Structure formats: structure tokens, C-alpha cells
Amino acid sequence: MSVEHNIAFGLNQKGVAKAEQIERVQEAVAQVDLGEHSHKMPSELSGGQQQRVALARAMVTRPAVILFDEPLSNLDAKLRESVRFEIRELQKRYNLTAIYVTHDQAEALAMSDKIVVLNRGRIEQIGTPEDIYYRPANRFVADFIGAANILPAQVNKAEQANTYSVTTEIGDFIVESDEPPKSDNIFVCWRPEDARLAEEGDINRFQVRVNQMAFMGNVTDLLVESINDVPLEMRIQLPKQPKFQDNQLTFSLPKTGIRFLEEVPHD
């Protein structure tokens, strides 16, 4: 069948009136950017175009629940972003419940009301995108959803309410957290984008030796090979390209940028 007939198939099965079928199909064709291909047969379409037909065919019937299994994986980056917003808009407009399977973390964060993080069939965490990203339950979630630098730490004492002194292999620093640590021996993490070039008076200061640097437009991505003279591979991101000598610079972390994770397992 042609693109149009493929998309209309479910509407035919449901007995939707012809005039409404035509209107819905035209709307769906426009939403997945297939207007110039509406009369083509499957053999005349690329893999990505065929995938968009399947997407439109599923959404045009406006079901109560729709299941997506990596539906955008064959689309180019620009179209993937566009269709991502279209799916989200359709879901809201027609009050669809959408269960969406993806390995693309940005896609999960951008499209979800609730995320379920799975690891080998086991649920690691369920929460809003903000919960999953800013309050990961453990190392797997922290590292899987976005990038994270993770270290074992010893919690020394509570400096004051919700503020803790911790010791790690790269030195001591202060953590401010609404949730207390689960143990004195615990993993901590921080996101690469939480780093900033150190200024006078900053706490949680670290001198690093940079191994590689990549300019990404809005940020500069740095791969670090040592922190405070401790050999350790980590990532930091800075909002502009830093100037430094001998591959060394000093950055700092805000107290609220460091998160407590799970307890360090005993040997």
C-alpha cells in the first residue's frame, strides 16, 4: 500500500468516516514530514521514511495507550528532534498514555513525565526526569542517565544542618544535601557541568591535569587524567573554552552539586 493507505489502515479498521480519515491522514503526513512522499510505495522509501510511516500509522488512530520501541532510531538528528516534540504534543493533545522504550538518555529526559530505569530486567529507579537526573538512586542510574563522576567517600561529620564534610582520594570537600547519607562509607557523584573555573574564596577546589579537550559549541568538554595529583580519569564541562598552562587548571564544585549515592559494599 502507499504511504497514505498505510497510515489510513487503522482508521479503516475502526470504521472512521472517509472525510475524517482524509483530514487525519493529511495531518499525520505533515507531522512526520512525508508530504512529498504520500503516494509512494514502501520500496520507494528509505528506512527512516518507512519508520515515520509506522509512527504516523500508530498515532493517527489516537489510541488510549501507545507503545514505542525506539521509534526514532533511524532518523537523522534534526528530524529526530522535530518528531520528538510532535510525539510529545500529540500525547498531550489527545491524552495518550505512551510507554516509550529508548537507550537515548536525552530523549528520555525530554519526553517523559515519569522514567523507569531498567538494568538487566531489574528496576533501579522510578521518578520524574528531574528526580532521575538530580537525585539518582545509585551509581548505575547516575552513570546511565547523563555523565557522572563517581567516587567512594568517607563521611566525617555534619558541619551543620544538611551540610557534611567528606573525604575522598582526591581530597576533602563539603556537601550540602537535603537527604542524609545512607552510611559513613558511601559513593558520591557530581555532573561534569557542575564544575566551574575556580575563583578566589571558592570551596571544593581541585587542581586537574587535562588530557583531552573538545570544543562543543556551548560548552567545552575536558577529559581529566589527574586531580590534585591523584591519577584519575574524569570529565568536566565548562561554559567557555578555558585558558591554562602546562595542561593544568583549577576548578571548583558547589556544595549542592555533589550527590550521595549508595553505600560502599563491604569486602
Side-chain angles (χ1 to χ4, degrees):
M1 294 187 291
S2 69
V3 168
E4 282 186 339
H5 287 131
N6 256 286
I7 295 172
F9 184 81
L11 299 176
N12 271 320
Q13 296 293 306
K14 288 176 174 291
V16 175
K18 209 68 179 174
E20 187 177 349
Q21 281 191 38
I22 292 170
E23 183 181 339
R24 284 210 215 171
V25 168
Q26 288 176 344
E27 181 183 8
V29 165
Q31 283 166 343
V32 294
D33 197 22
L34 287 172
E36 297 178 1
H37 308 282
S38 59
H39 299 295
K40 289 184 178 180
M41 302 299 287
S43 60
E44 300 175 277
L45 302 174
S46 68
Q49 289 167 341
Q50 291 178 17
Q51 195 165 16
R52 280 185 272 161
V53 173
L55 186 61
R57 183 175 57 212
M59 292 193 300
V60 77
T61 60
R62 300 172 189 169
V65 179
I66 187 166
L67 310 180
F68 294 97
D69 188 1
E70 300 193 70
L72 311 184
S73 58
N74 286 342
L75 306 186
D76 64 69
K78 190 171 183 179
L79 186 58
R80 186 164 62 243
E81 188 171 304
S82 171
V83 175
R84 181 191 300 169
F85 284 112
E86 289 288 357
I87 292 174
R88 185 67 169 147
E89 175 59 30
L90 286 168
Q91 182 265 326
K92 287 183 175 180
R93 188 189 309 168
Y94 299 114
N95 198 30
L96 300 174
T97 296
I99 300 175
Y100 193 106
V101 179
T102 180
H103 287 86
D104 186 322
Q105 294 93 335
E107 212 164 80
L109 291 170
M111 297 184 66
S112 303
D113 298 303
K114 183 178 289 186
I115 294 176
V116 180
V117 182
L118 292 170
N119 178 18
R120 301 188 180 192
R122 178 175 177 267
I123 294 175
E124 297 284 355
Q125 187 173 354
I126 301 175
T128 65
E130 292 80 7
D131 284 337
I132 298 292
Y133 191 78
Y134 291 114
R135 291 173 288 279
N138 53 42
R139 289 172 292 163
F140 179 85
V141 176
D143 194 46
F144 185 70
I145 302 293
N149 298 302
I150 301 171
L151 288 169
Q154 170 71 42
V155 180
N156 299 322
K157 59 181 178 179
E159 295 288 324
Q160 55 189 45
N162 301 331
T163 304
Y164 305 87
S165 168
V166 304
T167 297
T168 72
E169 60 187 309
I170 62 172
D172 295 352
F173 47 86
I174 303 297
V175 178
E176 186 176 305
S177 173
D178 292 334
E179 295 185 11
K182 299 174 183 176
S183 166
D184 288 342
N185 292 293
I186 199 166
F187 287 102
V188 296
C189 80
W190 47 275
R191 301 289 186 186
E193 67 269 20
D194 289 327
R196 64 187 184 194
L197 286 175
E199 298 178 356
E200 194 68 34
D202 281 352
I203 62 169
N204 299 338
R205 294 166 62 97
F206 305 94
Q207 186 178 61
V208 301
R209 179 175 291 278
V210 177
N211 184 25
Q212 297 180 43
M213 181 172 68
F215 176 67
M216 309 293 288
N218 59 329
V219 296
T220 299
D221 207 357
L222 305 173
L223 183 64
V224 169
E225 64 182 7
S226 72
I227 300 182
N228 292 351
D229 295 325
V230 177
L232 207 62
E233 189 173 287
M234 288 192 168
R235 283 179 60 191
I236 62 175
Q237 286 182 342
L238 298 171
K240 60 183 180 180
Q241 197 161 356
K243 296 178 181 178
F244 51 88
Q245 292 182 332
D246 300 324
N247 288 346
Q248 290 192 340
L249 60 82
T250 302
F251 77 93
S252 64
L253 289 172
K255 294 183 293 185
T256 54
I258 303 159
R259 291 92 174 173
F260 293 125
L261 301 177
E262 77 268 33
E263 182 180 2
V264 175
H266 300 291
D267 293 334

